[in-house]
Amino acid sequence: MKIGIVTFHRALNYGAVLQACAMRRIFSDHGEVEMVDYWPDYHSSHYSLLDTRFLNKNQSLSSRVRLLKSAIKRIILLPVRLKRNKKFLSFIDSNIVKVSNAPIKLANKIPDYFDVVVYGSDQIWRVYDFDNYPRPDMVYMGAGVLDGTRKIAFAASMGDVNVDTLCDDSVIKALKNFEHINVREQALSESLLKHSGLSSCVVLDPTFLVSSDVWKRMAETIPRNRKDNKYALFYSLIPSEESIRIAKNIAEEKGVELVEINGFETIGGLFNKSVAQSAGPLDFLELIMNAEFIVSTSFHGVVFSIIFEKQFCACGMKGHSERVRSLLSKLSIEDRLIDTVEQLESLGEIDYKEVTKLLAREIEHSKELLEYSLFE
């Protein structure tokens, strides 16, 4: 069976590349896998080393000024970005797709020789502001491409559920072309049924379907980032004053160094040795695996804390917490999602014996749905 996978596979984002790596691994057990290398300009420009969007004269003056500031920031951070990008591209090249190959920019160039195409995981159905008109990229919805090819969605997400999108006739029409829809969040599954009239199943993020030993072996292929010092790790994807307070409080209470990873490089991080500015995907795994405690404002920071059976808390997500809330609810550890530093007082130790039992059941359920979707 020739299996194509459509996902966010070239994003210079820890969660994106690790889930893409997982998708390739788990579907390789069922056939010959090829990543559909669709990566349009709006994706590549988001992660480009230099930002030239301010040169576009068809924008308002305020937009051009904002983009000029972004361009200057990227120039200042260029040495760090080069080092970080090199690590990401090496990981992508070894585990996902050859980065030397030119990606597919246009939907009509996507090859149609697959027996089945899997859409997911990650936020492939998220809404973008295209020309001031919020909508998803319909290619990720399966629209207008690969007609006649079997399509299934696995662990697809739209991040924050957008009701207007799910009520859109063109979106509903596109989603009806999927033989099976498996999503990552309970809220999305419920909204699909309520607003689009489409049934779906809820599965785990694919990173859980790869053995923790595989992730550990990957993490052990690089030297330890903090050889001698014990540390708490703060993964700051959505920065906030309260999440910083929580991270500092935990490090102080445990008497350990506080190490920070950001979703993007920051100018402030240039002057702070505790910020792992140039960390790549393997550094991300290694730093989580060897941390005393993890404070995460990111979904995949929580995921890998659980995979490595670490003590952790999730915070600072405000209205973007549904993905984490859905996962923690499955594992009966909802109390790990907190909003204030005061909640740390009632935060006990995670009993991973119980979590492992619940997780094993969810993994088995997700694998069964994967096989059913492929072979039913």
Side-chain angles (χ1 to χ4, degrees):
M1 179 184 289
K2 184 79 171 178
I3 304 171
I5 296 177
V6 177
T7 189
F8 290 166
H9 60 295
R10 285 181 179 252
L12 305 187
N13 170 282
Y14 303 114
V17 296
L18 291 169
Q19 67 80 23
C21 172
M23 287 289 286
R24 181 166 198 123
R25 281 177 173 268
I26 62 178
F27 281 95
S28 291
D29 292 337
H30 303 286
E32 181 186 352
V33 170
E34 180 180 325
M35 306 303 288
V36 177
D37 201 8
Y38 174 66
W39 201 244
D41 286 337
Y42 73 89
H43 277 328
S44 55
S45 64
H46 183 69
Y47 295 102
S48 62
L49 287 171
L50 298 175
D51 190 348
T52 59
R53 290 175 296 172
F54 70 93
L55 296 174
N56 184 350
K57 296 180 180 180
N58 295 324
Q59 302 174 96
S60 66
L61 179 60
S62 60
S63 293
R64 294 187 71 188
V65 169
R66 176 177 55 81
L67 292 171
L68 176 59
K69 290 179 180 178
S70 172
I72 293 171
K73 179 181 176 182
R74 291 196 190 191
I75 291 171
I76 294 171
L77 292 167
L78 187 58
V80 173
R81 290 173 64 83
L82 283 168
K83 188 175 181 180
R84 183 175 183 268
N85 285 17
K86 183 179 180 181
K87 292 180 179 180
F88 266 91
L89 294 177
S90 175
F91 183 87
I92 293 169
D93 193 71
S94 299
N95 297 282
I96 304 171
V97 68
K98 292 300 177 185
V99 295
S100 58
N101 295 339
I104 298 167
K105 299 290 186 180
L106 301 174
N108 60 8
K109 300 296 183 181
I110 294 175
D112 60 356
Y113 46 66
F114 301 105
D115 297 305
V116 60
V117 176
V118 182
Y119 290 73
S121 66
D122 217 356
Q123 298 179 47
I124 59 168
W125 294 344
R126 70 181 299 177
V127 173
Y128 295 90
D129 190 7
F130 291 117
D131 300 322
N132 297 316
Y133 175 52
R135 65 187 189 279
D137 182 338
M138 293 301 290
V139 173
Y140 292 105
M141 292 279 185
V145 292
L146 299 167
D147 293 334
T149 303
R150 291 181 59 217
K151 299 173 184 176
I152 65 174
F154 190 79
S157 172
M158 65 187 315
D160 300 327
V161 174
N162 187 290
V163 173
D164 290 340
T165 297
L166 298 180
C167 292
D168 187 281
D169 289 340
S170 62
V171 169
I172 296 172
K173 181 180 178 181
L175 292 178
K176 283 183 177 179
N177 290 321
F178 285 86
E179 287 188 8
H180 300 278
I181 299 177
N182 303 287
V183 298
R184 201 174 61 182
E185 289 89 37
Q186 184 66 36
L188 176 55
S189 180
E190 293 171 359
S191 294
L192 276 169
L193 184 60
K194 180 179 179 180
H195 302 291
S196 307
L198 298 170
S199 297
S200 60
C201 297
V202 181
V203 295
L204 289 173
D205 188 86
T207 51
F208 281 115
L209 306 191
V210 175
S211 166
S212 61
D213 289 336
V214 171
W215 297 121
K216 288 176 182 177
R217 286 196 296 271
M218 282 189 178
E220 289 168 350
T221 60
I222 62 170
R224 289 189 60 168
N225 282 269
R226 295 292 193 275
K227 293 181 181 179
D228 303 319
N229 297 338
K230 291 185 177 181
Y231 61 91
L233 181 67
F234 178 33
Y235 180 25
S236 177
L237 188 62
I238 308 173
S240 71
E241 290 297 323
E242 193 64 16
S243 61
I244 293 170
R245 283 183 63 206
I246 290 169
K248 287 182 176 179
N249 184 285
I250 288 172
E252 183 177 331
E253 181 183 292
K254 294 185 174 297
V256 297
E257 177 188 5
L258 181 62
V259 176
E260 182 176 343
I261 301 180
N262 296 312
F264 296 94
E265 305 87 352
T266 64
I267 292 176
L270 294 174
F271 309 99
N272 189 341
K273 291 183 179 180
S274 67
V275 179
Q277 285 267 74
S278 59
L282 295 178
D283 297 298
F284 176 81
L285 293 175
E286 187 276 322
L287 283 166
I288 291 179
M289 185 176 72
N290 291 307
E292 297 295 308
F293 195 102
I294 294 95
V295 177
S296 178
T297 67
S298 152
F299 174 75
H300 279 103
V302 170
V303 167
F304 281 96
S305 296
I306 295 169
I307 288 173
F308 290 133
E309 298 189 359
K310 310 301 293 188
Q311 298 299 318
F312 74 92
C313 69
C315 61
M317 299 177 189
K318 298 180 180 178
H320 307 285
S321 63
E322 178 52 41
R323 290 172 292 160
V324 169
R325 194 181 305 278
S326 179
L327 171 61
L328 298 182
S329 177
K330 289 177 185 292
L331 304 179
S332 295
I333 48 174
E334 299 97 321
D335 63 330
R336 310 315 291 190
L337 180 61
I338 65 175
D339 297 310
T340 66
V341 71
E342 286 75 22
Q343 289 175 273
L344 289 174
E345 295 180 9
S346 59
L347 202 64
E349 293 277 307
I350 300 173
D351 179 1
Y352 270 103
K353 287 184 179 180
E354 292 303 314
V355 171
T356 300
K357 290 178 185 177
L358 294 172
L359 182 58
R361 187 172 65 192
E362 293 294 335
I363 289 173
E364 184 62 28
H365 177 64
S366 295
K367 286 182 176 179
E368 288 174 355
L369 287 171
L370 183 156
E371 293 186 8
Y372 177 76
S373 298
L374 279 178
F375 300 112
E376 179 268 337

